[in-house]
Amino acid sequence: MERSDSKKLLNKIWQFFLPLFLGAAILVWTYKGFDFERVWSVLDGGFNYWWMLFSLVFGVFGHLFRGWRWNLSLAPLGEYPKRRNTVYAIFVSYAANLVIPRIGEVSRCGILAKYEGVSFSKSLGTVITERIIDSVCVVLITCATLLLQTGIFARFVKETGTDTAFFLHLFTSTNFYITVACILALLIFAYMMFRKFSVFAKVKGIFNDIWQGCLSLRHVKNAPLFILYTVGIWLCYFLQFYVAFFSFDFSSDLGLMAGLVMFVVGSIAVIVPTPNGAGPWHFAIITIMMMYGVSKDDAGIFALLVHGIQTFLLILLGIYGLVALPLVNKQIKPKNS
């Protein structure tokens, strides 16, 4: 029994510290030799706080749309939680992901089970379906960006990929090993999640409920509204990132297409299991920004401040959700109580 408990504890420590260590290691390398005093000088005189505040409005609306879309997914299963509870659950889930990546998907299902009596397994199925839809959206946005910015990618390949010296340098480049480390971490994390999911489904006997949740999308009553919410989610995510360009003098004239390329690359980078994509996201954004002529130091400032402020927003929303949930549900008893 003690050995089993020790193993569970080690697994939890592993799940917490591996993403943290990976993100920290990539951040340390990415910002090696960086002059952090420049960040304060930019904040003091070269930073437009109003544009940044405006960008955060889109971040909040992205979460609202996600919560409202979740209601549509749950309705075919006979579950009708209050919209405010699904939104607060979304707020908390994104904050939870800062502690342990992807734990938020489980935590938000637990919140609805606690306050609304929603079947945990069925809601988990809807979350899995959401993630599949989000993955499809990323693929579609990426394909569209590749078509629209073929010239940029062709130039990048021409300047790097056609030189044989590039391939010799590739395997001695730290950037290459950072990329490999991110891929390995993603594979390890995916394996751990799959194993946990398999055991959970087998032991609890809830695989059928999860499958019903996954198929709930077929019976969504208002499909146009579901699509509208999905478009709204990704449009808000993009605008949150793109509007932040106008907070800095060195990025305000990069243009919509440059923002789209960076948004796509950043969206792929956050798949790597680190807290809010910290490390891989910075590495990706800085690399692409430099392709568009931004200096490494300026790109580093942009990535550091934008990611830091957006992460702070997630923390604030998570705290708000945690405080609001028990208050607004004080007089409500769960259906399964």
Side-chain angles (χ1 to χ4, degrees):
M1 187 70 177
E2 291 182 1
R3 179 177 296 181
S4 177
D5 292 339
S6 299
K7 187 175 181 180
K8 289 180 180 179
L9 180 61
L10 287 174
N11 285 334
K12 290 182 179 179
I13 293 174
W14 173 262
Q15 290 177 30
F16 176 76
F17 282 105
L18 176 61
L20 197 64
F21 174 78
L22 178 63
I26 296 175
L27 279 174
V28 168
W29 174 258
T30 302
Y31 284 93
K32 184 180 180 182
F34 181 75
D35 183 10
F36 287 95
E37 291 184 3
R38 283 204 59 202
V39 177
W40 300 112
S41 64
V42 168
L43 287 173
D44 188 45
F47 183 73
N48 191 312
Y49 289 87
W50 291 110
W51 275 114
M52 183 58 70
L53 185 62
F54 184 44
S55 75
L56 297 181
V57 173
F58 293 107
V60 175
F61 270 97
H63 295 323
L64 291 176
F65 288 143
R66 186 173 287 281
W68 298 341
R69 187 183 70 173
W70 196 18
N71 279 81
L72 294 179
S73 300
L74 289 166
L77 302 173
E79 305 286 2
Y80 302 95
K82 294 176 180 60
R83 292 175 68 179
R84 64 188 180 189
N85 281 338
T86 53
V87 168
Y88 293 153
I90 293 294
F91 287 171
V92 174
S93 71
Y94 275 86
N97 283 335
L98 298 177
V99 181
I100 300 178
R102 304 298 177 262
I103 196 66
E105 280 77 354
V106 177
S107 69
R108 62 160 151 156
C109 297
I111 288 172
L112 287 196
K114 177 180 180 180
Y115 291 105
E116 294 276 4
V118 173
S119 167
F120 179 89
S121 52
K122 289 181 180 179
S123 63
L124 181 60
T126 63
V127 172
I128 293 172
T129 304
E130 279 191 4
R131 286 309 175 193
I132 294 173
I133 293 171
D134 289 336
S135 299
V136 171
C137 289
V138 171
V139 170
L140 292 175
I141 295 170
T142 301
C143 291
T145 304
L146 286 170
L147 291 174
L148 292 170
Q149 291 287 275
T150 302
I152 291 294
F153 290 104
R155 178 169 61 84
F156 177 72
V157 172
K158 182 178 180 181
E159 291 178 358
T160 57
T162 57
D163 185 0
T164 54
F166 169 77
F167 291 100
L168 295 175
H169 172 68
L170 177 64
F171 294 100
T172 60
S173 169
T174 306
N175 292 354
F176 171 75
Y177 292 107
I178 288 176
T179 304
V180 171
C182 289
I183 294 173
L184 287 176
L186 181 60
L187 292 174
I188 292 172
F189 185 80
Y191 168 75
M192 292 173 64
M193 291 296 289
F194 177 78
R195 187 177 64 176
K196 180 179 291 187
F197 173 76
S198 299
V199 173
F200 181 67
K202 183 178 179 180
V203 173
K204 300 295 183 181
I206 59 166
F207 185 80
N208 186 55
D209 284 348
I210 294 176
W211 183 243
Q212 287 183 41
C214 291
L215 296 179
S216 65
L217 188 60
R218 297 185 306 167
H219 305 293
V220 169
K221 293 182 179 179
N222 198 335
L225 185 59
F226 186 94
I227 295 172
L228 182 63
Y229 283 154
T230 301
V231 172
I233 289 168
W234 286 97
L235 182 61
C236 284
Y237 287 172
F238 169 70
L239 289 175
Q240 181 186 21
F241 176 75
Y242 175 66
V243 171
F245 277 11
F246 299 100
S247 299
F248 306 88
D249 294 335
F250 53 78
S251 60
S252 59
D253 60 347
L254 285 177
L256 192 66
M257 287 298 102
L260 190 58
V261 172
M262 291 179 214
F263 175 72
V264 165
V265 175
S267 297
I268 296 172
V270 297
I271 296 175
V272 179
T274 62
N276 200 28
W281 188 88
H282 295 76
F283 172 72
I285 295 301
I286 292 172
T287 301
I288 301 299
M289 264 196 151
M290 290 172 64
M291 282 179 55
Y292 282 92
V294 178
S295 70
K296 185 176 182 179
D297 287 343
D298 286 341
I301 291 172
F302 176 89
L304 197 65
L305 289 178
V306 170
H307 187 273
I309 293 172
Q310 291 182 358
T311 300
F312 184 64
L313 174 66
L314 295 181
I315 294 172
L316 289 180
L317 292 177
I319 294 173
Y320 174 71
L322 283 173
V323 173
L325 277 165
L327 292 178
V328 300
N329 294 283
K330 192 179 297 183
Q331 304 300 327
I332 301 173
K333 293 182 179 180
K335 290 184 295 183
N336 60 357
S337 61

